[in-house]
């Protein structure tokens, strides 16, 4: 075994007994930290000359995507293949869903092919929970409407801990379209559980009431937010979830002027790190140079996503690690 693998500290023992990952609302602080610690091991595996382990050999996993995805779908598929699983990819557009088949019938048909795990993305909140009542397989939520995107929040927290190993009392700003974001909801739930302070910032029309109930504070002032934070995570404006395009703010140009992160902000506030779950709309939530700057860890988030998803697949598989 290479030297660097031997140096990895084993996670503190924890009785992880979750069957599914439907959302971080169902995970304790200890569960979250345990997943993040396990992911450190898999992150090291990804640096090996042969970045593979046989942990999921003989396990069959279906990736059930009813909504478009680049990062999440590829990241799950890569994680599964790195762990030796048999992988089946289902895309709603190319399936019998287009012939009128219901979600329940689709999943029952897939399930009768003897699958162990389902990774699901769907535009309707609650679909992952619904699937737990239809099949015996472990269900992993890869994003359900504006509800939760738990593996994104886990990889975000993992990436923040690369820079701030203890997130207790660190200041995390999430900026942009808060109302339509499942990423923000999972991040607020996860980050507040592990002791970070979260402020959400964006136009009033994109600010849902529930964020304060979840433990975040609200700001409408980008300058104050950037002066305060250790990490600034920008979110995409989800025009596809707004009924008439830009009706919730006057124009994309005005949005960028008020809430877009610029190179001037990076000069003025020299300490915060830039994150974004992707896809980035350059020139809207941030200037293109900001996304590519040394302060940005956007591509590290994607790399870490594979390790975090390997960790969750391992933990829900009931298998030993290697
Ligand atoms: N961050 C994220 O969920 O990206 P995709 O929509 O490309 O999967």
């Amino acid at each position: 075994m290479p030297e660097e693998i031997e140096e990895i500290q084993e996670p503190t023992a924890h009785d992880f007994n979750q069957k599914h990952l439907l959302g971080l609302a169902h995970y304790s602080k200890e569960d979250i930290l345990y997943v993040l610690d396990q992911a450190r091991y898999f992150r090291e595996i990804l640096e090996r000359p042969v970045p593979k382990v046989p942990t999921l050999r003989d396990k069959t996993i279906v990736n059930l995507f009813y909504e478009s995805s680049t990062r999440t779908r590829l990241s799950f598929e890569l994680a599964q293949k790195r762990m030796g699983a048999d992988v089946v990819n289902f895309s709603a557009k190319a399936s019998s869903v287009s012939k009128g088949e219901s979600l329940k019938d689709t999943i029952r048909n897939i399930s009768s092919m003897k699958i162990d795990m389902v990774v699901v993305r769907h535009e309707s909140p609650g679909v992952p929970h619904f699937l737990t009542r239809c099949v015996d397989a472990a269900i992993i939520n890869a994003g359900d409407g504006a509800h939760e995107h738990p593996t994104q929040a886990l990889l975000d927290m993992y990436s923040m801990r690369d820079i701030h190993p203890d997130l207790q009392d660190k200041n995390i700003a999430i900026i942009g379209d808060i109302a339509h974001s499942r990423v923000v909801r999972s991040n607020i739930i996860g980050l507040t559980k592990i002791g970070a302070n979260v402020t959400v910032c964006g136009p009033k029309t994109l600010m849902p009431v529930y964020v304060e109930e979840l433990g975040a504070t609200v700001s409408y002032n980008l300058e104050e937010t950037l002066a305060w934070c250790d990490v600034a995570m920008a979110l995409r404006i989800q025009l596809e979830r707004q009924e008439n395009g830009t009706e919730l703010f006057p124009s994309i140009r005005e949005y960028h002027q008020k809430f877009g992160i610029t190179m001037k902000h990076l000069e003025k506030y020299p300490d915060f790190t830039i994150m974004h779950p992707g896809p980035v709309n350059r020139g809207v939530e941030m200037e293109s140079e900001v996304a590519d700057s040394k302060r940005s860890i956007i591509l590290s988030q994607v790399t870490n996503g594979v390790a975090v998803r390997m960790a969750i697949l391992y933990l829900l598989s009931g298998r030993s690690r290697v």
Side-chain angles (χ1 to χ4, degrees):
M1 198 178 270
E3 215 171 290
E4 64 270 25
I5 300 299
E6 285 180 343
E7 283 172 8
I8 301 171
Q9 268 194 330
E10 278 296 317
T12 313
H14 168 58
D15 184 16
F16 183 90
N17 55 16
Q18 299 281 352
K19 180 171 182 205
H20 308 287
L21 176 59
L22 305 181
L24 293 189
H26 307 283
Y27 276 43
S28 66
K29 171 184 177 178
E30 291 71 29
D31 288 336
I32 291 169
L33 292 175
Y34 193 63
V35 176
L36 298 180
D37 285 349
Q38 292 288 345
R40 279 212 322 258
Y41 169 82
F42 290 103
R43 185 70 185 78
E44 292 292 333
I45 296 284
L46 294 175
E47 296 302 320
R48 288 183 185 176
V50 181
K52 288 195 168 205
V53 282
T55 313
L56 299 183
R57 198 175 44 204
D58 306 330
K59 291 276 182 192
T60 304
I61 306 177
V62 177
N63 296 317
L64 196 62
F65 277 72
Y66 281 80
E67 249 191 3
S68 54
S69 168
T70 300
R71 279 146 292 271
T72 311
R73 191 169 57 80
L74 293 179
S75 176
F76 265 114
E77 190 177 342
L78 198 55
Q80 293 150 1
K81 288 181 171 166
R82 296 270 189 251
M83 301 172 87
D86 291 323
V87 181
V88 184
N89 288 309
F90 170 96
S91 162
K93 284 188 193 110
S95 74
S96 290
V97 171
S98 60
K99 299 177 195 162
E101 187 164 65
S102 72
L103 172 65
K104 193 170 180 178
D105 281 339
T106 300
I107 192 70
R108 282 194 165 156
N109 276 278
I110 292 173
S111 182
S112 57
M113 297 176 207
K114 306 279 177 239
I115 50 160
D116 300 294
M117 296 174 130
V118 178
V119 176
V120 61
R121 169 170 288 194
H122 201 282
E123 63 272 18
S124 299
V127 161
H129 186 261
F130 171 74
L131 293 187
T132 63
R133 290 190 265 127
C134 304
V135 290
D136 276 341
I139 308 292
I140 301 176
N141 181 358
D144 60 333
H147 176 227
E148 279 227 40
H149 192 349
T151 57
Q152 179 67 47
L154 286 166
L155 77 88
D156 292 336
M157 287 186 270
Y158 183 98
S159 305
M160 290 173 202
R161 292 213 317 170
D162 269 350
I163 297 170
H164 303 290
D166 184 1
L167 286 177
Q168 180 74 39
D169 292 327
K170 285 288 176 272
N171 295 336
I172 314 299
I174 307 179
I175 299 153
D177 184 349
I178 308 300
H180 299 99
S181 175
R182 52 195 172 211
V183 174
V184 80
R185 194 179 166 91
S186 290
N187 263 296
I188 295 173
I189 293 169
L191 284 164
T192 52
K193 278 184 179 172
I194 66 173
N197 307 312
V198 183
T199 289
V200 291
C201 177
K204 276 193 181 153
T205 47
L206 293 175
M207 197 61 71
V209 285
Y210 73 79
V211 286
E212 284 177 308
E213 285 164 25
L214 288 178
T217 53
V218 174
S219 167
Y220 302 109
N221 186 315
L222 181 65
E223 291 286 334
E224 282 175 14
T225 302
L226 294 180
W228 167 84
C229 70
D230 299 299
V231 173
M233 185 193 303
L235 300 176
R236 184 174 69 87
I237 298 294
Q238 301 192 35
L239 292 176
E240 75 277 16
R241 296 193 204 275
Q242 296 181 29
E243 280 180 14
N244 296 310
T246 59
E247 66 173 7
L248 294 176
F249 49 87
S251 69
I252 291 285
R253 189 178 141 87
E254 192 171 319
Y255 174 83
H256 178 70
Q257 279 171 354
K258 257 196 115 176
F259 294 102
I261 303 174
T262 64
M263 289 304 284
K264 281 193 182 142
H265 288 130
L266 297 197
E267 282 162 29
K268 191 167 172 189
Y269 308 109
D271 295 327
F272 71 82
T273 300
I274 290 282
M275 295 178 66
H276 195 304
V280 178
N281 287 149
R282 290 169 182 262
V284 183
E285 50 265 27
M286 62 181 71
E287 285 178 347
S288 192
E289 298 90 323
V290 171
D292 298 331
S293 72
K294 287 202 169 74
R295 300 266 291 279
S296 160
I297 59 164
I298 294 171
L299 291 179
S300 301
Q301 287 174 259
V302 179
T303 310
N304 295 335
V306 179
V308 166
R309 288 174 175 123
M310 287 171 86
I312 201 71
L313 288 164
Y314 149 64
L315 287 170
L316 296 180
S317 73
R319 283 274 168 85
S320 53
R321 203 161 54 189
V322 281

